[in-house]
Amino acid sequence: MKRFLGTLIGKSVFLAERILRYNASSFPGKLVLKLFPGYLKTIRYPGTIIMVTGSCGKGSTTRIIAEALRACGKTVAHNLEGSNLLNGVASTVIRNVSFSGRMKQDALVLETDERYLKFITKYIQPDYLVISNITRDQPPRQGDFDLVAEEIRKAIPEKTHLIVNGDDPVTKRFSLVTDNRLSCFGIDHCFMSYEEDRGDVRDQNYCPACHTKLTYSFRHYGSVGGFQCPSCGFGRKDIDFAITGVDPESRELTINGSQKLRANELILFNLYNIIAAYAVLSLSGEDSEQALQAISALHIQDKIYHEITKHGRKYVALNCKAENNATYNLAVNAAALDPSPKTIVLGLREISRRYEFFDLSWLYDIHFELLNNGTLENVVCAGPYRYDFAVRMKLAGVPEDKLIILENLDHAGEVFDRQTKGNVYGILNFDYIDPFIHSVNEIQE
């Protein structure tokens, strides 16, 4: 009876929200769990449960998995809205469950917050758990990345199959601290890799097994790349699912030396999302060729990557999570790899909506110096923190006469069109993606 009442109340709240055109994706779950704390334990879940957690990339990875499963003929329940705490997950369950308490879909795919994973797995035990990466992210909330890794470790159910980023020594160390079945995904050396030490911020400098300093044959960003311990052998090895080739012209990827798929956007974080999703699909029993075709047909969401051409100039919006140097560094590297003259747009409205701390220390973990490579024409700094960005760019060696300061991005298209040169890369927080795209669309043809 309690399960039925909980489902009825939750679905009624969803209906009321739809009628009132009010979108609070986690509220139905919050209300039901308040009234019936054990509600999630009473549900009969699908036969395949997949969760994705980590500092960044989890939302995009779950979307690829869910859409590829649908393309393979499966029915899927998925928290697409990104509500990845317990209340949001409960809302996803309520939306998809029948009044008899059964979820009739073939698979449940959940993006899960790394610190809240332990509250979710208390009720829902995944068959597969992807750990995308663990890095310094939202320091006022998360603290040190080691604490986050330990929180994830404590949340892993005994029978869950772990799928971890084998290029990241922080996630690879789960092979040392759990007895779970574990598979690794990664990306071999490619045109986006580098051998030299750029002075990047690295989360894991020393071997977690014997504390010897790690060495690298190549790097992708930060601590991620071809790492190895010269003493005990811990390192990037036993990669079960690898992108072994990347063709920048055709955008064709080679998987495990033979299988092919096409990436519609060659951004490194997108390639990690793709290979993680392919690993899950393969391990869960999907036909590999069908999975490859499904992934090849997908584009990055416009909110993550959006490209527009105006007057022969390319305008690219790259969504970078504030307080996370990993996503910013990958976007900076993507812009730096473009050999054409370029303008960079930086800005955000809110650092976080979860707390009142206005921490900008993460700006100094980003390797903006990569942009100052002879192709940089202008940097536009916009929003409430425009002067903080401008100071950081001056420290990166950008001359002051190349800086353009804007109060906001409202109607900034004319500035882009008349006062800047080259391709334009907006490396922005999620709250400035729409204003950037809108401003570009205002440029007259």
Side-chain angles (χ1 to χ4, degrees), residues 246-266:
V246 181
D247 187 330
E249 298 300 324
S250 66
R251 298 185 179 182
E252 186 177 73
L253 308 181
T254 304
I255 308 295
N256 288 351
S258 59
Q259 295 177 298
K260 305 288 185 180
L261 69 81
R262 186 180 184 277
N264 288 296
E265 293 85 12
L266 279 189

Side-chain angles (χ1 to χ4, degrees), residues 173 176 204 206-212 229 232 234:
R173 71 188 188 188
L176 304 175
Q204 186 84 51
Y206 293 88
C207 174
C210 71
H211 311 298
T212 302
C229 174
C232 73
F234 175 78

Side-chain angles (χ1 to χ4, degrees), residues 285-307:
E286 298 303 318
D287 179 82
S288 61
E289 285 301 322
Q290 196 171 9
L292 288 169
Q293 291 175 14
I295 294 173
S296 295
L298 297 176
H299 287 267
I300 302 178
Q301 287 175 293
D302 284 350
K303 284 290 184 77
I304 304 298
Y305 177 97
H306 191 85
E307 184 175 324

Side-chain angles (χ1 to χ4, degrees), residues 399-420:
E400 190 169 349
D401 61 4
K402 290 189 175 184
L403 299 178
I404 298 173
I405 310 299
L406 299 179
E407 186 174 348
N408 53 57
L409 286 181
D410 296 341
H411 311 297
E414 186 174 349
V415 174
F416 300 155
D417 190 37
R418 297 186 179 183
Q419 299 182 35
T420 71

Side-chain angles (χ1 to χ4, degrees), residues 63-75:
R63 173 182 168 267
I64 295 172
I65 293 169
E67 293 196 17
L69 282 171
R70 292 188 182 108
C72 291
K74 299 293 192 298
T75 54

Side-chain angles (χ1 to χ4, degrees), residues 186-343:
I187 303 172
D188 288 358
H189 186 283
C190 67
F191 76 96
M192 290 178 277
S193 311
Y194 55 96
E195 288 76 31
E196 73 278 9
D197 187 346
R198 294 176 173 175
D200 300 31
V201 172
R202 294 190 290 274
D203 294 320
Q204 186 84 51
N205 284 302
Y206 293 88
C207 174
C210 71
H211 311 298
T212 302
K213 189 171 184 178
L214 297 173
T215 60
Y216 282 78
S217 57
F218 66 89
R219 301 178 188 274
H220 287 145
Y221 66 92
S223 302
V224 177
F227 68 94
Q228 54 274 325
C229 174
S231 295
C232 73
F234 175 78
R236 183 191 187 271
K237 57 183 180 179
D238 303 322
I239 305 294
D240 303 283
F241 302 92
I243 294 178
T244 52
V246 181
D247 187 330
E249 298 300 324
S250 66
R251 298 185 179 182
E252 186 177 73
L253 308 181
T254 304
I255 308 295
N256 288 351
S258 59
Q259 295 177 298
K260 305 288 185 180
L261 69 81
R262 186 180 184 277
N264 288 296
E265 293 85 12
L266 279 189
I267 307 294
L268 193 61
F269 60 72
N270 183 45
L271 302 193
Y272 272 113
N273 298 339
I274 285 172
I275 192 61
Y278 176 73
V280 174
L281 294 167
S282 297
L283 291 168
S284 62
E286 298 303 318
D287 179 82
S288 61
E289 285 301 322
Q290 196 171 9
L292 288 169
Q293 291 175 14
I295 294 173
S296 295
L298 297 176
H299 287 267
I300 302 178
Q301 287 175 293
D302 284 350
K303 284 290 184 77
I304 304 298
Y305 177 97
H306 191 85
E307 184 175 324
I308 303 169
T309 300
K310 287 288 183 79
H311 301 162
R313 300 172 67 186
K314 183 170 68 173
Y315 292 83
V316 178
L318 294 167
N319 187 340
C320 298
K321 184 179 179 182
E323 300 180 288
N324 186 304
N325 70 79
T327 56
Y328 254 89
N329 276 324
L330 288 171
V332 166
N333 190 51
L337 284 170
D338 182 351
S340 307
K342 65 180 66 68
T343 290

Side-chain angles (χ1 to χ4, degrees), residues 46-99:
T48 300
I49 302 174
I50 299 165
M51 294 185 187
V52 182
T53 196
S55 299
C56 46
K58 46 189 178 286
S60 297
T61 303
T62 53
R63 173 182 168 267
I64 295 172
I65 293 169
E67 293 196 17
L69 282 171
R70 292 188 182 108
C72 291
K74 299 293 192 298
T75 54
V76 181
H78 170 214
N79 57 339
L80 178 62
E81 299 87 355
S83 296
N84 59 16
L85 308 184
L86 181 61
N87 293 334
V89 168
S91 292
T92 298
V93 171
I94 293 164
R95 189 191 298 272
N96 291 279
V97 75
S98 68
F99 285 104

Side-chain angles (χ1 to χ4, degrees), residues 54-56 58 113-115 133-145 148 203 321-327 354-355 362:
S55 299
C56 46
K58 46 189 178 286
D113 181 88
E114 56 273 29
R115 291 292 295 273
N133 50 61
I134 301 174
T135 188
R136 295 182 218 192
D137 177 43
Q138 299 181 329
R141 180 174 82 98
Q142 303 281 35
D144 190 78
F145 68 91
V148 176
D203 294 320
K321 184 179 179 182
E323 300 180 288
N324 186 304
N325 70 79
T327 56
R354 292 184 176 179
Y355 45 78
W362 49 274

